[in-house]
């Protein structure tokens, strides 16, 4: 047995030795660089191998279902959603994958930071009427992402560099609060600057104790421009949808200029923001020879307050925002909201086919040969969130916003209403001013860390100011399948429900 064992071991040694000589094994292997934790900038950061740059990866996957509307976050306030007929969606769905990349590098001049957030989104679309004669019904599919059934859209939320107090690229507007239009909700609210990031160059001075001041030049197209209406170009079809004229916005001439002061401490946050906005119209007609109105600068001011550590429970929060604008309406009716409203309902006036709430938001209006008349808006939003325990929380929220046209602008708009829509009460009963309000509640359940299920109910009210009992005569609107008929002008409302599942990582 010993002899046999010796023969086997000897043969194995000879075989391995021969193999080693043939393969030239003595070459030294390269060292492996392992990913190391970077503790300089908080949890989740790692050193990129071979560099002194730290990176953090994150994001979320979200699935939404909205009931009783044709858009993901908004009420049924316009288009086929506002028509409330067989073209209106009973539900709309959305799926989204969000990816975030955050890098930090320590230098002799301070930390260099880059941040980007990319989203891949699919949102179910709607079917609008395609017929023009009313003889044969036909519809066409319209996707909110501009794609066909098999597609979706790529979005770039953030893409910026920060260095030595400066921010370059697409980042949150310095006007907005940390919660923007979401004080305790997910459904869109007016009453503050919008969440949507915008291209900018910003300098932020840090005075310590949580006190900062920022000065920014930011892109106004298209996040912070609503409508510049030439009422001389108004049509019956456009007015029926809430567009009070031909949109006549010129090219970019000046960025919006923004200043912000913020106090951010353990008790909460206080912020004051100001923005200046240039309203630059194009031409009165189809060529340069027709002339144009002069530019007019508008402005917006905002105050905001957040209170933390409330006695009602750990983590409970109140967020409040108030805003006033003149010629800068997007700082109140933020860019995720519609700027034209047409909501249909039942009529109470004899001879009227249905009732209709019409409203429109603009930065300014004018008529051919005259200057711009700036539009005034003001509003607020707020929300309170209560944590029942580490797994459940409930919030209540609300918002109210108003649009006010001066007497000259009202004269322009009402003259077109009488001419194009045969407004029954005449100019004396015509008033394009309106109020927009939302109230709601949200409850969320987080059974495990990073996974949240949410139900949110919101009630939206459109309070139009046309004289009670006024009627308009509208043409056929094949896109929303509304017949040529007499319609009563009347306040409208919309109740929507959002169901959401979201996994953060």
């Amino acid at each position: 047995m010993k002899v046999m064992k010796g023969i086997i071991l000897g043969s194995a040694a000879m075989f391995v030795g021969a193999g080693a000589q043939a393969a030239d094994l003595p070459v030294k292997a390269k060292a492996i660089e392992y990913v190391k934790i970077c503790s300089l900038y908080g949890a989740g950061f790692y050193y990129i191998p071979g560099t002194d740059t730290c990176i953090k990866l994150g994001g979320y996957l979200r699935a939404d279902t909205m009931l009783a509307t044709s858009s993901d976050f908004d009420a049924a306030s316009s288009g086929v959603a506002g028509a409330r007929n067989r073209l209106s969606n009973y539900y709309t769905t959305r799926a989204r994958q969000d990816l975030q990349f955050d890098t930090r590098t320590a230098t002799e001049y301070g930390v260099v930071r880059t941040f980007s957030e990319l989203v891949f989104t699919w949102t179910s679309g709607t079917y609008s009427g395609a017929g023009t004669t009313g003889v044969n019904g036909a519809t066409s599919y319209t996707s909110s992402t501009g794609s066909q059934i098999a597609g979706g859209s790529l979005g770039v939320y953030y893409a910026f560099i920060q260095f030595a107090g400066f921010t370059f690229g697409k980042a949150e507007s310095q006007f907005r609060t940390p919660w923007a239009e979401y004080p305790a909700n997910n459904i869109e609210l007016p009453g503050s600057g919008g969440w949507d990031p915008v291209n900018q160059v910003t300098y932020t001075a840090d005075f310590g104790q949580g006190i900062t001041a920022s000065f920014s030049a930011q892109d106004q197209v298209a996040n912070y421009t609503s409508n510049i209406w030439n009422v001389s170009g108004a049509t019956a079809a456009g007015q029926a949808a809430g567009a009070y004229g031909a949109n006549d916005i010129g090219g970019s001439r000046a960025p919006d200029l923004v200043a912000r002061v913020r106090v951010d401490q353990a008790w909460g946050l206080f912020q004051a923001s100001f923005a200046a906005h240039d309203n630059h119209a194009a031409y009165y007609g189809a060529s340069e020879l027709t002339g144009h109105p002069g530019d007019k600068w508008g402005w917006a001011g905002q105050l905001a307050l957040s209170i933390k550590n409330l006695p009602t429970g750990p983590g409970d929060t109140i967020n409040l925002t108030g805003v006033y604008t003149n010629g800068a309406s997007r700082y109140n009716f933020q860019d995720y909201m519609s700027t034209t409203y047409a909501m249909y309902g039942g009529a109470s006036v004899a001879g009227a086919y249905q009732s209709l709430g019409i409203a429109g938001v603009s930065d300014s209006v004018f008529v051919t040969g005259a200057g711009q008349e700036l539009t005034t808006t003001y509003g607020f939003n707020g929300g309170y969130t209560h944590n029942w325990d580490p797994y459940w929380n409930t919030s209540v929220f609300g918002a109210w916003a108003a649009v006010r046209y001066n007497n000259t602008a009202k004269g322009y708009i009402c003259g077109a209403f009488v001419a194009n829509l045969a407004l029954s009460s005449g100019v004396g009963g015509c008033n394009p001013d309106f109020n927009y309000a939302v109230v709601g509640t949200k409850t969320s359940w987080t059974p495990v860390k990073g996974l949240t299920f949410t139900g949110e109910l919101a009630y939206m009210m459109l309070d139009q100011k046309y004289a009670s009992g006024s009627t308009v005569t509208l043409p056929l609107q094949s896109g929303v399948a509304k017949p040529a008929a007499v319609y009563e002008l009347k306040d409208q409302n919309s109740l929507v429900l959002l169901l959401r599942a979201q996994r953060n990582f």
Side-chain angles (χ1 to χ4, degrees), residues 476-496:
L476 168 67
Q477 300 170 79
S478 59
V480 294
K482 292 298 180 182
V486 173
Y487 293 80
E488 176 190 4
L489 295 180
K490 187 178 180 181
D491 297 348
Q492 304 292 335
N493 53 70
S494 173
L495 182 67
V496 295

Side-chain angles (χ1 to χ4, degrees), residues 112-433:
V112 177
R113 182 192 185 199
T114 69
F115 184 85
S116 63
E117 184 173 0
L118 312 177
V119 289
F120 302 88
T121 304
W122 168 250
T123 306
S124 59
T126 62
Y127 287 88
S128 58
T132 57
T133 65
V135 176
N136 297 307
T139 61
S140 60
Y141 179 75
T142 302
S143 169
S144 62
T145 61
S147 63
Q148 295 303 314
I149 298 294
S153 67
L154 170 65
V156 180
Y157 281 165
Y158 289 89
F160 64 81
I161 300 169
Q162 288 181 323
F163 175 66
F166 286 92
T167 299
F168 306 93
K170 196 169 190 281
E172 69 173 69
S173 169
Q174 303 307 305
F175 189 88
R176 89 171 211 204
T177 63
W179 58 90
E181 68 265 37
Y182 307 117
N185 56 289
N186 296 304
I187 293 171
E188 301 300 332
L189 300 180
S192 69
W195 176 90
D196 213 8
V198 60
N199 285 333
Q200 62 190 268
V201 176
T202 296
Y203 178 73
T204 299
D206 190 340
F207 300 101
Q209 304 294 321
I211 302 173
T212 60
S214 298
F215 305 92
S216 179
Q218 70 179 31
D219 188 13
Q220 61 168 243
V221 181
N223 300 35
Y224 290 95
T225 299
S226 61
N227 298 296
I228 297 178
W229 279 323
N230 183 347
V231 181
S232 296
T235 64
Q239 289 174 313
Y244 290 156
N247 217 348
D248 199 13
I249 302 171
S252 299
R253 286 297 182 271
D256 284 9
L257 304 176
V258 178
R260 179 183 74 186
V261 175
R262 178 181 289 180
V263 179
D264 195 345
Q265 297 182 342
W267 57 264
L269 174 148
F270 171 79
Q271 178 178 313
S273 309
F274 176 85
H277 173 82
D278 179 36
N279 291 289
H280 178 74
Y283 296 99
Y284 290 129
S287 79
E288 301 170 355
L289 300 178
T290 60
H292 59 81
D295 286 21
K296 274 196 174 181
W297 280 82
W299 62 275
Q302 178 178 265
L303 295 176
L305 178 67
S306 179
I307 304 174
K308 305 175 185 177
N309 302 319
L310 297 171
T312 54
D316 289 8
T317 306
I318 293 176
N319 295 322
L320 301 169
T321 311
V323 64
Y324 185 97
T325 78
N326 182 243
S329 299
R330 273 300 190 197
Y331 289 93
N332 186 1
F333 287 81
Q334 39 80 21
D335 69 317
Y336 284 161
M337 295 182 64
S338 177
T339 57
T340 57
Y341 302 97
M343 302 175 67
Y344 290 84
S348 57
V349 172
Y353 171 70
Q354 288 182 337
S355 65
L356 171 64
I358 303 177
V361 182
S362 66
D363 290 331
S364 71
V365 300
F366 64 92
V367 294
T368 297
Q372 299 185 64
E373 301 295 328
L374 300 183
T375 305
T376 296
T377 80
Y378 44 90
F380 68 89
N381 64 45
Y384 164 66
T385 300
H386 172 64
N387 294 279
W388 301 102
D389 57 37
Y391 309 101
W392 290 89
N393 68 63
T394 298
S395 66
V396 291
F397 57 87
W400 180 89
V403 173
R404 299 292 183 262
Y405 293 93
N406 65 29
N407 289 334
T408 301
K410 287 178 180 177
Y412 295 159
I413 295 170
C414 291
F417 253 67
V418 172
N420 295 329
L421 301 183
L423 182 67
S424 66
S425 58
V427 176
C430 175
N431 186 351
D433 295 346

